[in-house]
Amino acid sequence: MATITANTRWDAKDAAPVPAHTLLGKWNLFMESQEKWITLWFLVSLVFQGVFFLPVPAVLIYYAAAPVPVLAITLTLFFANIIAGMGGAGIKTLLWLFALSIAIHLLMILFFIL
């Protein structure tokens, strides 16, 4: 019986490495060093978003007259983090989603408050 074997490897380590002296390279090194703490990062992102970012739409809509889609953006980012963490995404995906959530919420706050 013949067995199909593939020589292609889909490991991220086979890709061209980003130089460690750039900001993106340092961010990649940090993310790779946090692989053993993936559950902690998942819980930190959920608690941080639940405490600091879920109230943001209420404040922005009520006090700054922001449009209602601000609520949809916040909930989408929150549930994307939940799905990624519970779905078994890697540490890089979790940390990128967490950083993206922080950046988007800070931009929304700056845009509507200032």
Side-chain angles (χ1 to χ4, degrees):
M1 185 185 305
T3 304
I4 298 174
T5 59
N7 292 333
T8 307
R9 296 196 50 166
W10 297 99
D11 294 339
K13 293 178 180 18
D14 291 340
V18 178
H21 61 277
T22 64
L23 186 60
L24 185 60
K26 290 178 183 179
W27 175 246
N28 272 336
L29 286 176
F30 171 73
M31 287 189 298
E32 289 170 359
S33 71
Q34 298 299 310
E35 182 69 37
K36 61 185 173 192
W37 304 107
I38 191 166
T39 305
L40 178 67
W41 277 109
F42 171 58
L43 292 175
V44 165
S45 74
L46 288 185
V47 170
F48 189 83
Q49 289 185 46
V51 171
F52 293 111
F53 292 152
L54 286 181
V56 166
V59 172
L60 291 179
I61 291 170
Y62 186 75
Y63 292 111
V68 176
V70 168
L71 177 64
I73 292 169
T74 299
L75 290 177
T76 300
L77 290 170
F78 181 69
F79 287 119
N81 276 288
I82 290 176
I83 291 168
M86 293 180 75
I91 187 69
K92 289 185 178 184
T93 304
L94 285 178
L95 289 177
W96 273 113
L97 271 173
F98 187 41
L100 183 70
S101 297
I102 291 171
I104 289 175
H105 280 92
L106 289 177
L107 287 173
M108 284 193 308
I109 292 169
L110 288 174
F111 183 74
F112 290 112
I113 299 294
L114 298 180

